[in-house]
Amino acid sequence: MFGRRKRAEKQEKLPADVEAAADEAATDDAEGAGNDDAGGAARVKLPPAPRPDGPWDVSEVGKPGEGRVDLGGLFVPGVEGMELRVEVAGDAIVAATVVLRDSAVQLQAFAAPKREGIWDEIREEIAGGITKQGGVIDEIEGPLGWELRAQVPVKLPDGKGGVQVVRFIGVDGPRWFLRGVISGQGAVQPQAAGLLEQIFRDTVVVRGEAPMAPRDPIVLKLPQDAEMVPDGIQQESTEQGSRFAGGIDKLSRGPEITEIR
């Protein structure tokens, strides 16, 4: 089942500083790298790390459509009981969210430099934005490599302040970067996120050969047999507009959102 959401510019964006940081960095990359402060050390650009367990480039998979949903720029593994939602920016579909019981993982792919990984930079930007908002960030080496585990300040439906626990994961590939945002129980209890992590690993990215600026989103499409359903309550949930940290659903199940007393 597919649900479709439009990103509302006037909705509350969570957290706003992450959006600003990511958009500013995207602009810098589009205009060209190498503009470090005169007194600062240049950032070391590292090539993408090996990916022996995925996620995969389409050139590395013989039949990417077997057992996966074809979204054009992504082939997303299908598992029993999952709901697949897509997110729209303007007229383009730019992200897919797999909801599985009380957890979810948002998948979004971006263009990247040919010989440089960008996940290290993106982690710094996300961490800086959330910290400025008063959130808490832990950078750890998890099952998928380096990730951020964040407690993000939110406003609860009753107007009180709370925190949302999320995990930011990412992997650099050949000329692409795949970002995942895990929410719900898979973020609160990472040991419960094994299936979501496997979905992320088994995702296939189709970058294409067309020229793209670094950090441009890889556009997705709907499968021909997709059944569109209204998003309902999720349409009204808070979204985060950043191209690298955006679209986190405020799932109300379990202790994902907790009140600050």
Side-chain angles (χ1 to χ4, degrees):
M1 180 183 296
F2 287 83
R4 181 172 178 138
R5 277 203 304 259
K6 280 214 171 186
R7 295 174 182 262
E9 292 183 358
K10 294 186 179 179
Q11 287 180 326
E12 179 186 0
K13 294 182 179 180
L14 170 66
D17 286 337
V18 177
E19 176 189 7
D23 287 345
E24 180 179 355
T27 301
D28 291 344
D29 273 3
E31 293 175 350
N35 295 326
D36 295 308
D37 293 338
R43 181 188 299 275
V44 176
K45 302 289 188 178
L46 299 176
R51 297 168 290 105
D53 300 316
W56 311 107
D57 186 76
V58 67
S59 64
E60 301 167 336
V61 180
K63 297 180 179 180
E66 287 190 354
R68 299 182 181 90
V69 180
D70 181 1
L71 296 178
L74 293 176
F75 283 85
V76 178
V79 298
E80 184 177 357
M82 84 177 202
E83 178 184 350
L84 184 60
R85 303 171 183 168
V86 296
E87 296 188 16
V88 178
D91 295 327
I93 299 174
V94 296
T97 299
V98 175
V99 181
L100 194 61
R101 295 184 291 277
D102 53 4
S103 298
V105 59
Q106 184 200 60
L107 303 169
Q108 192 168 11
F110 305 86
K114 186 174 183 179
R115 297 181 178 85
E116 297 173 359
I118 60 176
W119 179 217
D120 287 346
E121 296 179 2
I122 299 307
R123 288 201 312 276
E124 290 183 12
E125 294 161 7
I126 294 173
I130 292 175
T131 301
K132 286 180 181 178
Q133 280 206 308
V136 178
I137 288 285
D138 288 321
E139 184 175 30
I140 68 167
E141 191 167 8
L144 295 162
W146 288 104
E147 66 176 74
L148 296 177
R149 297 185 181 178
Q151 299 178 44
V152 184
V154 298
K155 182 178 290 187
L156 298 175
D158 60 5
K160 296 181 180 179
V163 295
Q164 180 180 15
V165 180
V166 291
R167 292 171 58 195
F168 296 90
I169 57 179
V171 170
D172 291 302
R175 299 197 305 145
W176 52 257
F177 166 72
L178 181 65
R179 189 269 291 134
V181 182
I182 297 177
S183 57
Q185 284 297 311
V188 177
Q189 298 177 327
Q191 65 273 19
L195 187 52
L196 292 180
E197 292 168 358
Q198 186 57 46
I199 289 172
F200 183 85
R201 283 193 186 97
D202 204 30
T203 295
V204 176
V205 180
V206 184
R207 159 66 172 77
E209 298 301 325
M212 297 178 68
R215 304 192 185 199
D216 276 358
I218 296 174
V219 176
L220 309 181
K221 68 176 184 180
L222 287 177
Q224 293 182 352
D225 58 351
E227 176 186 356
M228 300 303 298
V229 296
D231 197 46
I233 295 176
Q234 276 72 22
Q235 178 73 25
E236 301 175 359
S237 67
T238 299
E239 292 184 350
Q240 176 183 346
S242 165
R243 286 191 285 175
F244 285 89
I248 305 173
D249 289 331
K250 291 175 61 179
L251 300 180
S252 58
R253 310 177 184 92
E256 181 204 1
I257 301 176
T258 57
E259 180 179 345
I260 297 176
R261 296 183 180 273

